[in-house]
């Protein structure tokens, strides 16, 4: 696996990156569960940067399905809430059957800035990476606006994920990512839950896929659509990482005996 980070933590300006993608087919995917307060504006915001927008409605019980019916997005529906990992797998399977040069995935809660889509997509279409992670903590000059209680949990999850997967990343839990067609085919995802971000990193490492990060902006104020309790989220990821570590240990033990 190769891992590349720009010296200043940032890629080309969004306008320049968007120009470089003019001839490439960009699909934007949005997993959504009970995001009635933000899903409409999220879809509207990403349309400027996408040839197609695909939303996976993961069994929402609020007005999310109704609002999605009013958009031009392709909507894939789960008949019940199955979890973010399951939504990502549904998205990968669908987009894998399309003709596209890059899939960019972002959350539906309004945290991510659609203007960052081109800078995440660019390394994929340029052949520099198979998976690009949008990092909230990569650019040293940026002010970290993450609430303290969230940042503490993220530091712990970042440390545990990098220890289990053997990578060096600044934001392992970011839901803002770009993927090459090869990554859609080769990433092996099994979890239904919130551990999917860590599992992507583990699978990309095992498959020898090239990963890199790009700096992104994120907001936390007035996120009325935010679904996941951060404590439950963190605990779910920790449980998954513990299982992943146990799954990796037998392979490491066998390698040590050879």
């Amino acid at each position: 696996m190769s891992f590349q980070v720009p010296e200043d933590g940032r890629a080309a300006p969004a306008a320049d990156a968007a120009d470089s993608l003019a001839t490439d087919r960009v699909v934007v995917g949005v997993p959504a569960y009970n995001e009635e307060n933000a899903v409409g504006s999220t879809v509207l915001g990403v349309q400027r940067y996408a040839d197609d927008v695909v939303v996976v409605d993961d069994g929402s019980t609020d007005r999310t399905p109704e609002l999605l019916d009013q958009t031009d997005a392709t909507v894939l529906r789960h008949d019940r809430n199955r979890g973010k990992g399951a939504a990502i797998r549904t998205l990968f399977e669908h987009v894998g059957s399309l003709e596209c040069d890059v899939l960019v995935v972002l959350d539906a809660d309004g945290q991510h800035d659609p203007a960052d889509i081109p800078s995440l997509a660019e390394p994929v279409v340029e052949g520099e990476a198979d998976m690009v992670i949008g990092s909230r903590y990569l650019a040293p000059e940026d002010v970290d606006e993450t609430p303290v209680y969230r940042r503490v949990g993220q530091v712990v999850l970042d440390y545990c994920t990098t220890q289990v997967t053997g990578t060096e990343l600044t934001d392992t839990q970011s839901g803002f990512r770009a993927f090459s067609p090869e990554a859609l085919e080769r990433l092996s995802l099994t979890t239904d839950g919130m551990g999917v971000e860590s599992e992507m990193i583990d699978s990309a490492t095992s498959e020898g896929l090239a990963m890199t990060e790009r700096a992104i902006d994120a907001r936390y104020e007035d996120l009325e659509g935010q679904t996941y309790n951060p404590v439950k989220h963190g605990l779910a990821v920790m449980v998954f990482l513990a299982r992943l570590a146990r799954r990796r240990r037998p392979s490491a033990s066998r390698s040590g005996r050879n």
Side-chain angles (χ1 to χ4, degrees):
M1 177 198 72
S2 65
F3 179 77
Q4 308 138 358
V5 178
E7 290 183 4
D8 62 355
R10 287 205 174 272
D16 295 342
D19 289 342
S20 71
L21 299 175
T23 61
D24 298 293
R25 189 164 188 81
V26 179
V27 176
V28 174
V30 185
Y33 172 62
N34 286 353
E35 298 287 3
E36 63 180 11
N37 292 313
V39 70
S41 58
T42 297
V43 171
L44 184 64
V46 303
Q47 285 178 326
R48 176 184 175 188
Y49 305 97
D51 295 288
D52 292 297
V53 180
V54 182
V55 182
V56 179
D57 175 17
D58 188 29
S60 296
T61 56
D62 63 356
R63 294 179 61 243
T64 295
E66 175 186 340
L67 294 172
L68 288 174
D69 286 341
Q70 299 173 23
T71 72
D72 294 329
T74 297
V75 182
L76 311 176
R77 302 189 191 278
H78 290 171
D79 58 3
R80 60 179 176 82
N81 179 232
R82 294 168 51 192
K84 186 175 183 180
I88 293 292
R89 290 202 307 274
T90 295
L91 180 62
F92 277 21
E93 182 179 356
H94 176 80
V95 177
S97 67
L98 304 178
E99 291 290 334
C100 76
D101 296 292
V102 57
L103 167 67
V104 180
V105 177
L106 75 166
D107 294 334
D109 60 6
Q111 178 186 133
H112 301 134
D113 185 352
D116 286 323
I117 289 173
S119 66
L120 265 69
E122 189 175 31
V124 172
V125 300
E126 294 294 330
E128 299 171 3
D130 294 297
M131 184 169 79
V132 181
I133 300 174
S135 173
R136 294 160 286 185
Y137 315 114
L138 185 59
E141 74 278 7
D142 285 354
V143 176
D144 184 359
E145 298 180 0
T146 310
V148 173
Y149 70 95
R150 287 182 176 274
R151 188 65 184 117
V152 171
Q154 288 166 357
V155 168
V156 172
L157 293 178
D158 287 340
Y159 174 80
C160 292
T161 298
T162 56
Q163 290 298 302
V164 171
T165 62
T167 56
E168 295 182 4
L169 297 163
T170 64
D171 193 353
T172 64
Q173 301 307 303
S174 172
F176 201 172
R177 303 186 177 199
F179 304 89
S180 68
E182 183 176 3
L184 298 182
E185 180 180 348
R186 293 174 59 187
L187 286 176
S188 177
L189 305 180
T190 61
T191 182
D192 286 342
M194 298 301 294
V196 65
E197 272 89 14
S198 295
E199 188 171 34
M200 288 177 186
I201 295 169
D202 179 67
S203 182
T205 303
S206 298
E207 289 291 326
L209 297 174
M211 284 190 289
T212 189
E213 293 184 305
R214 288 292 184 269
I216 60 169
D217 292 320
R219 73 182 186 93
Y220 294 91
E221 295 183 359
D222 302 321
L223 287 186
E224 297 178 0
Q226 198 162 38
T227 299
Y228 300 106
N229 178 289
V231 176
K232 291 182 179 179
H233 179 177
L235 289 174
V237 176
M238 289 297 294
V239 169
F240 173 77
L241 286 170
R243 292 173 180 168
L244 183 60
R246 287 196 299 269
R247 192 167 70 196
R248 273 175 160 261
R249 191 173 299 123
S251 299
S253 298
R254 286 194 297 269
S255 297
R257 291 195 297 266
N258 292 339

